[in-house]
């Protein structure tokens, strides 16, 4: 066990850069490479850098089937979400001031919504069902005359559950509201066809799809046209929507990562699906383990499981040779367990006991097997240590105990 | 992770060898046992502590301690540390 590298099962958090992507990025940095500023129009250094940026833009557009002119580079999905939510709200505030989102969005959408509330906008936060899905019907019921924007994620980052973009988009179209989708977890995992999807804005991240951190993009539809107010001013780059010198090495990296994603999506998916099945079958042999998120409506690369009677953070510490994430409070600065799991109506103790396993392109069978055997062992040991497990074995129903909450 | 080596070691050793680190519970039939439990599952921490006392002069001495903790790694490590500190102390000292 010693000196073995830590097994990485946290692909939903970030992925390593594919070596093919890294070598592409290296071409745009050094004196012997194309290091120019793509905005320089007066010499070949600039032209070459611009070529690289536009080639990458085509690769990104190609993966999601949109026009390259609809892609705006940002520093990542967080900035893309901010630009979409705040940009649309502020541009169209004379049309209305109501926004619809959900309780299980990423903070990159929730925090901008909070900011807009401070600016006088009204935000409706839809509740997911217990499987982690937002239903089109809920959107329809929440839409008002003054609704200007609906922002919902495609794939939930903690659960892997999917929203029905087509049905929701049809509702927003009919209501005359814009539809923004955070698709940070989607690229290379599921097919996205923006030529048919009724989506107006979509956020992307490079580093969830084997590209570098620090680069992302926002799709801004041209027909029917969506206008946004910029967040960053200073030179009018990206057709005024996002100023600042473009980073060709980052952009080329994202382009290459998305080009590969398109080519290898089928293989990646088949591989991850097999890991998911094996992991689920084996992990569910542990008593009182519960999957969070509807198994019939989720992607196979994310698997979120609660192990009742053990606390998630101690489980993560016990799984020290495995890199995973927990919905437990101790891994974040607050005492609250995952707001996503709580929104599903999971009891706090189950939210505290949750672990997110996420698989990816470089995961192998041996890693899955080792993780499963370590997992069984550590859960058993922590339960030996757990007064709650002892009470459970004694036949005490923990729900009937009056706890002194602090 | 931000935990010190001491916390990590204590956690891991307790997990590896629970008996040696006073994990468990006393036989309920035994006398001179005091049991306390604090925390709540919803908050992410529950500790159950049992002490076994013996009269000594005009006080009692803690002869043995057993515990179980549900909680994060530092809660488990600190429970384990506390338990070691208790053994041999009189009730007043403890």
């Amino acid at each position: 066990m010693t000196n073995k590298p830590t097994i990485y099962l946290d692909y939903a958090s970030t992925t390593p850069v594919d070596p093919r992507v890294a070598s592409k990025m290296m071409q745009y940095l050094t004196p012997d490479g194309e290091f120019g500023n793509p905005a320089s129009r007066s010499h070949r250094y600039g032209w070459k850098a611009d070529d690289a940026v536009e080639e990458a833009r085509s690769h990104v557009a190609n993966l999601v089937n949109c026009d390259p002119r609809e892609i705006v580079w940002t520093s990542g999905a967080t900035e893309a979400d901010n630009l979409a939510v705040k940009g649309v709200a502020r541009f169209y505030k004379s049309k209305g001031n109501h926004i619809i989102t959900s309780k299980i969005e990423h903070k990159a959408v929730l925090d901008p919504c909070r900011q807009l509330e401070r600016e006088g906008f009204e935000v409706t936060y839809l509740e997911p069902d217990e499987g982690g899905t937002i239903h089109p019907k809920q959107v329809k019921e929440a839409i008002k005359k003054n609704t200007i924007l609906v922002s919902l994620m495609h794939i939930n980052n903690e659960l892997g559950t999917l929203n029905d973009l087509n049905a929701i988009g049809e509702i927003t179209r009919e209501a005359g509201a814009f539809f923004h989708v955070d698709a940070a977890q989607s690229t290379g995992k599921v097919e996205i066809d923006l030529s048919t999807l009724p989506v107006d804005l979509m956020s992307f991240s490079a580093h969830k799809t084997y590209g570098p951190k620090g680069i992302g993009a926002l799709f801004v539809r041209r027909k029917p046209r969506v206008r946004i107010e910029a967040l960053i001013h200073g030179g009018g780059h990206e057709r005024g929507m996002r100023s600042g010198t473009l980073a060709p090495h980052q952009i080329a990296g994202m382009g290459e990562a998305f080009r590969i994603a398109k080519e290898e999506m089928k293989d990646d998916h088949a591989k991850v699906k097999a890991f998911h099945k094996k992991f689920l079958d084996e992990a569910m042999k542990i008593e009182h383990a519960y999957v969070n998120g509807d198994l019939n409506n989720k992607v196979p690369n994310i698997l979120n499981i609660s192990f009742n009677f053990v606390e998630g953070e101690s489980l993560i510490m016990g799984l020290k040779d495995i890199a995973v994430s927990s919905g437990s409070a101790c891994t974040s600065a607050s005492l609250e367990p995952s707001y996503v799991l709580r929104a599903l109506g999971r009891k706090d103790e189950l939210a505290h006991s949750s672990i997110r396993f996420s698989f990816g392109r470089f995961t192998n069978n041996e890693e899955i097997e080792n993780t499963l055997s370590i997992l069984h062992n550590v859960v058993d040991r922590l339960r030996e240590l757990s007064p709650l497990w002892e009470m459970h074995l004694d036949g005490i129903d923990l729900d009937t105990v009056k706890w002194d909450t602090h | 992770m931000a935990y010190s080596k001491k916390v990590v070691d204590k956690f891991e050793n307790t997990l590896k060898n629970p008996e040696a680190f006073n994990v468990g519970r006393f036989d309920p039939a035994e006398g001179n046992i005091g049991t306390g439990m604090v925390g709540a599952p919803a908050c992410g921490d529950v500790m159950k502590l049992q002490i076994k006392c013996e009269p000594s002069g005009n006080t009692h001495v803690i002869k043995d301690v057993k515990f179980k903790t549900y909680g994060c790694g530092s809660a488990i490590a600190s429970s384990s540390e506390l338990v070691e500190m208790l053994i041999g102390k009189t009730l007043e000292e403890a």
Side-chain angles (χ1 to χ4, degrees):
Chain A
M1 264 218 358
T2 48
N3 293 330
K4 262 198 183 169
T6 300
I7 297 170
Y8 190 78
L9 293 182
D10 205 10
Y11 279 81
S13 172
T14 192
T15 60
V17 171
D18 191 297
R20 292 167 288 183
V21 170
S23 69
K24 181 90 183 174
M25 291 174 71
M26 284 298 291
Q27 299 168 21
Y28 302 96
L29 290 163
T30 47
D32 57 340
E34 300 299 346
F35 62 85
N37 183 336
S40 297
R41 303 288 182 205
S42 52
H43 50 70
R44 69 166 295 285
Y45 292 97
W47 303 333
K48 285 286 181 188
D50 187 51
D51 287 348
V53 166
E54 293 315 314
E55 188 195 329
R57 204 188 297 275
S58 297
H59 289 322
V60 170
N62 197 27
L63 179 65
V64 292
N65 205 13
C66 72
D67 188 315
R69 290 171 299 174
E70 294 174 311
I71 296 296
V72 174
W73 301 114
T74 65
S75 61
T78 294
E79 189 191 326
D81 286 343
N82 268 267
L83 182 56
V85 173
K86 292 194 273 196
V88 164
R90 289 172 183 166
F91 193 92
Y92 292 98
K93 62 173 181 260
S94 60
K95 251 189 82 195
N97 74 336
H98 181 234
I99 296 160
I100 298 170
T101 184
S102 87
K103 288 194 167 167
I104 57 167
E105 293 307 300
H106 194 274
K107 292 283 182 189
V109 164
L110 290 175
D111 287 350
C113 283
R114 293 280 181 222
Q115 173 58 28
L116 289 171
E117 284 180 299
R118 287 190 284 273
E119 293 174 22
F121 289 88
E122 184 202 337
V123 183
T124 299
Y125 299 90
L126 300 176
E127 304 245 6
D129 68 11
E130 58 180 20
T133 307
I134 305 292
H135 294 273
K137 187 168 158 270
Q138 293 174 274
V139 177
K140 192 163 193 164
E141 284 165 4
I143 278 193
K144 304 196 284 190
K145 272 210 174 84
N146 62 342
T147 305
I148 47 173
L149 177 69
V150 175
S151 178
L152 292 169
M153 65 206 325
H154 187 201
I155 295 172
N156 183 274
N157 53 308
E158 286 195 31
L159 308 167
T161 48
L162 289 143
N163 282 327
D164 183 347
L165 302 186
N166 209 40
I168 295 169
E170 274 170 20
I171 293 164
T172 57
R173 277 276 155 87
E174 199 177 307
F178 293 110
F179 185 26
H180 166 247
V181 175
D182 179 345
Q185 294 287 349
S186 311
T187 45
K189 317 293 191 304
V190 289
E191 297 272 355
I192 295 174
D193 183 356
L194 286 168
S195 74
T196 58
L197 272 181
V199 168
D200 302 295
L201 304 115
M202 191 175 262
S203 303
F204 303 111
S205 168
H207 78 95
K208 309 277 191 195
T209 310
Y210 311 98
K213 294 160 189 66
I215 185 75
L218 179 66
F219 158 79
V220 184
R221 188 175 288 286
R222 288 166 72 89
K223 277 182 198 165
R225 192 179 182 198
V226 187
R227 312 214 30 207
I228 51 176
E229 193 179 291
L231 299 175
I232 296 174
H233 303 89
H237 307 73
E238 299 297 279
R239 296 183 311 287
M241 286 184 266
R242 207 285 191 176
S243 290
T245 297
L246 295 174
H249 65 297
Q250 297 285 85
I251 290 169
M254 180 164 178
E256 184 69 359
F258 278 37
R259 184 190 67 76
I260 295 170
K262 178 151 182 122
E263 255 176 30
E264 302 187 356
M265 193 181 322
K266 272 210 179 82
D267 292 347
D268 283 347
H269 188 265
K271 190 173 146 179
V272 159
K273 205 174 160 187
F275 292 148
H276 180 269
K277 184 178 184 318
K278 179 170 186 137
F279 204 97
L280 185 67
D281 289 350
E282 288 298 317
M284 284 299 116
K285 287 182 184 162
I286 297 174
E287 279 180 89
H288 297 281
Y290 305 95
V291 173
N292 298 305
D294 182 357
L295 275 174
N296 297 315
N297 181 37
K298 68 182 269 305
V299 287
N301 56 300
I302 296 175
L303 182 54
N304 190 317
I305 308 178
S306 287
F307 300 93
N308 205 1
F309 314 113
V310 296
E311 196 275 338
E313 197 261 7
S314 62
L315 184 49
I316 282 194
M317 242 175 117
L319 300 171
K320 67 186 163 82
D321 297 313
I322 301 154
V324 287
S325 284
S326 168
S328 160
C330 294
T331 54
S332 66
S334 76
L335 270 173
E336 298 282 301
S338 156
Y339 65 92
V340 172
L341 292 182
R342 290 183 65 167
L344 305 196
R346 282 289 194 211
K347 286 187 296 183
D348 278 2
E349 48 265 50
L350 277 179
H352 276 296
S353 304
S354 75
I355 302 278
R356 178 186 69 183
F357 302 91
S358 47
F359 321 113
R361 187 179 289 162
F362 305 108
T363 306
N364 64 46
N365 216 23
E366 193 191 347
E367 290 175 326
I368 295 288
E369 278 171 9
N370 288 343
T371 300
L372 284 164
S373 92
I374 296 169
L375 179 68
H376 273 268
N377 184 285
V378 173
V379 170
D380 282 352
R381 283 172 177 274
L382 281 168
R383 281 182 176 167
E384 276 306 301
L385 242 79
S386 167
L388 304 180
W389 179 244
E390 182 184 282
M391 291 166 82
H392 168 73
L393 292 181
D394 285 347
I396 299 168
D397 180 357
L398 295 174
D399 289 336
T400 63
V401 177
K402 193 173 179 313
W403 298 98
D404 185 15
T405 51
H406 53 88
Chain B
M1 193 174 289
Y3 287 140
S4 68
K5 191 175 178 316
K6 195 175 172 189
V7 170
V8 174
D9 286 350
K10 191 78 187 176
F11 170 80
E12 285 177 358
N13 290 332
T14 306
L15 199 61
K16 251 185 245 159
N17 198 354
E19 289 80 23
F21 286 85
N22 301 82
V23 173
R25 70 166 152 182
F26 291 116
D27 184 344
E30 276 189 83
N32 293 331
I33 307 286
T35 302
M37 185 144 73
V38 290
C43 302
D45 291 296
V46 178
M47 182 189 186
K48 184 182 140 194
L49 187 71
Q50 289 189 306
I51 53 172
K52 186 179 188 178
C53 298
E54 259 179 27
S56 165
N58 53 2
T59 181
H60 283 78
V61 170
I62 301 172
K63 293 302 276 185
D64 201 2
V65 184
K66 291 215 181 291
F67 83 100
K68 285 199 177 186
T69 295
Y70 161 91
C72 60
S74 63
I76 290 171
S78 53
S79 305
S80 181
E81 192 72 25
L82 166 79
V83 161
E84 279 178 23
M85 289 163 67
L86 286 177
I87 295 176
K89 293 245 182 350
T90 64
L91 288 181
E92 285 75 21
E93 287 169 333

